[in-house]
Amino acid sequence: MPRYALKIEYHGGPFAGWQRQAGPPTVQGALEAALARLEGGPFAVAAAGRTDAGVHALGQVAQAETARDWDPFRLSEALNHHLKPQPVAVLACARVGEDWHARFSAVERRYLFRILMRRAPATHAAGLVWQVPRALDAGAMREAAAHLVGRHDFTTFRAALCQAKSPVKTLDELTIEEVAGLWGPELWIRARARSFLHNQVRSIVGTLERVGAGAWAPDQVRAALAARDRARCGPVAPPEGLYLSAVRYPDDPFA
């Protein structure tokens, strides 16, 4: 059966996450239903990463196998037609080999977290940012973030239900950018690694927010990391500010 790589964008608000489950709508379920309308199915779509309920994607990557040999452009157009009106879009489609896998072939994942800093309720950005009512100290947050870059035991920033075999991960990038957004000043926090633990990015962002608000000193983040104790983590940031922004492969299937 021909295998295709799909680059996908979605708004996570209406979905109970990526992974298919009985009852609530999921992104995986929406894609599999769209494929079934084309070929009858059933289909199983695998993704580079399982996003949680409310988390968005700008560049999720998934794989699908079909009975018919589709032109990639026509397959993406047909899927987008059957995905309407759900907030899911196939941005690109490419034919890949049988040994290519959306999850296991990936060598890097990138996340973006947006924090909107204003008191007035968000209207246009509602559901797309984490809104805080005060300006945060980006310099202090950068000082704290520097303690987390590199190879560490991230037990403190790992969800209790995380299924990863080891809490040790290498965080290659954790940067904080001040952005003059359309609806007010924002902080864009970018994280890059080969793979992440469950809730790792949201746990880190929630902790960094405490530093930016002046409730934590930057060195407290280093101490929390060294403690390897989930109880030492700050509050977990809400999902609506988080985006899976990109997935990288040794050879870009969409190039």
Side-chain angles (χ1 to χ4, degrees), residues 113 115 130 141 144-145 148-149 154 156-158 171 173-174 176 189-191 196 199-211 221 225 230 233-237:
F113 199 101
I115 301 177
W130 178 18
M141 294 169 70
L148 302 176
V149 176
F154 283 98
T156 300
F157 302 96
R158 177 189 193 185
L171 187 57
E173 176 187 346
L174 184 60
I176 300 166
I189 301 175
R190 300 182 189 274
F196 291 86
N199 273 355
Q200 183 180 355
V201 176
R202 290 170 55 197
S203 298
I204 288 173
V205 170
T207 300
L208 293 179
E209 188 275 339
R210 292 290 77 205
V211 175
V221 175
L225 174 68
R230 181 63 176 169
C233 182
V236 177

Side-chain angles (χ1 to χ4, degrees), residues 48-66:
R50 297 174 179 176
T51 52
D52 290 335
V55 175
H56 315 294
L58 304 174
Q60 170 74 281
V61 178
Q63 68 181 58
E65 295 180 347
T66 62

Side-chain angles (χ1 to χ4, degrees), residues 98-115:
E98 293 181 0
D99 59 345
W100 186 91
H101 195 281
R103 177 184 175 190
F104 299 116
S105 299
V107 296
E108 182 180 88
R109 292 158 178 86
R110 300 186 181 195
Y111 283 91
L112 165 68
F113 199 101
R114 295 174 57 195
I115 301 177

Side-chain angles (χ1 to χ4, degrees), residues 1-2 13 36 64 69 81 96 99 115 131 135 140 156 163 170 180-181 191 198 203 214 240 251:
M1 297 176 69
D69 192 356
H81 173 75
V96 292
D99 59 345
I115 301 177
Q131 184 181 354
T156 300
Q163 298 178 354
T170 300
H198 188 200
S203 298
E240 56 264 24
D251 296 307

Side-chain angles (χ1 to χ4, degrees), residues 5-255:
L6 307 171
K7 182 182 290 187
I8 305 161
E9 175 185 274
Y10 51 84
H11 188 306
F15 299 105
W18 163 268
Q19 190 171 4
R20 179 197 330 107
Q21 54 185 287
T26 66
V27 182
Q28 182 183 22
L31 281 165
E32 290 173 351
L35 279 165
R37 293 188 186 101
L38 297 178
E39 294 199 348
F43 290 93
V45 177
R50 297 174 179 176
T51 52
D52 290 335
V55 175
H56 315 294
L58 304 174
Q60 170 74 281
V61 178
Q63 68 181 58
E65 295 180 347
T66 62
R68 175 180 167 186
D69 192 356
W70 287 82
D71 172 77
F73 175 75
R74 291 187 179 276
L75 178 58
S76 64
E77 289 288 282
L79 286 173
N80 283 332
H81 173 75
H82 288 293
L83 284 165
K84 295 176 182 177
Q86 300 169 101
V88 184
V90 177
L91 304 178
C93 178
R95 181 79 177 265
V96 292
E98 293 181 0
D99 59 345
W100 186 91
H101 195 281
R103 177 184 175 190
F104 299 116
S105 299
V107 296
E108 182 180 88
R109 292 158 178 86
R110 300 186 181 195
Y111 283 91
L112 165 68
F113 199 101
R114 295 174 57 195
I115 301 177
L116 173 65
M117 300 175 291
R118 79 178 205 186
R119 289 193 62 84
T123 53
H124 295 289
L128 297 172
V129 297
W130 178 18
Q131 184 181 354
V132 299
R134 67 188 72 82
L136 301 176
D137 184 342
M141 294 169 70
R142 292 188 187 102
E143 184 180 345
H147 297 306
L148 302 176
V149 176
R151 184 175 176 82
H152 302 288
D153 182 326
F154 283 98
T155 295
T156 300
F157 302 96
R158 177 189 193 185
L161 298 178
C162 180
Q163 298 178 354
K165 294 180 179 179
S166 170
V168 176
K169 294 290 181 182
T170 300
L171 187 57
D172 296 309
E173 176 187 346
L174 184 60
T175 59
I176 300 166
E177 178 184 0
E178 298 172 80
V179 176
L182 288 175
W183 303 289
E186 294 188 28
L187 293 181
W188 286 13
I189 301 175
R190 300 182 189 274
R192 176 170 57 87
R194 183 182 184 93
S195 61
F196 291 86
L197 300 167
H198 188 200
N199 273 355
Q200 183 180 355
V201 176
R202 290 170 55 197
S203 298
I204 288 173
V205 170
T207 300
L208 293 179
E209 188 275 339
R210 292 290 77 205
V211 175
W216 285 39
D219 279 348
Q220 286 181 262
V221 175
R222 178 173 57 184
L225 174 68
R228 302 177 185 177
D229 180 359
R230 181 63 176 169
R232 296 287 297 275
C233 182
V236 177
E240 56 264 24
L242 183 60
Y243 300 75
L244 174 56
S245 58
V247 183
R248 190 170 68 84
Y249 297 88
D251 296 307
D252 182 2
F254 307 107

